[in-house]
Amino acid sequence: MPLRTLADWGLPQGKGGRITTTEELRVSGHPEIFVAGDLAGPPEPLPQLAQPAIP
């Protein structure tokens, strides 16, 4: 089976190839799909460091 890449999924992508999401991490245009972690591209991105995850 061939390996699929993120671009093959057909979801909207933004800066850095991340999937474009809403503030609630739902995929833009596909509210039934959630994206989290390094693949998510929220409207106001946070730095990819531990500090934003620490409450």
Side-chain angles (χ1 to χ4, degrees):
M1 177 185 302
L3 181 63
R4 296 190 67 186
T5 64
L6 181 60
D8 294 335
W9 295 357
L11 298 173
Q13 291 181 287
K15 184 178 178 182
R18 296 184 182 100
I19 297 173
T20 306
T21 66
T22 64
E23 289 182 12
E24 295 83 24
L25 298 179
R26 294 177 186 263
V27 175
S28 300
H30 296 278
E32 71 280 6
I33 302 173
F34 288 90
V35 178
D38 291 341
L39 292 178
E44 295 184 32
L46 297 170
Q48 293 183 326
L49 303 170
Q51 286 79 3
I54 298 171

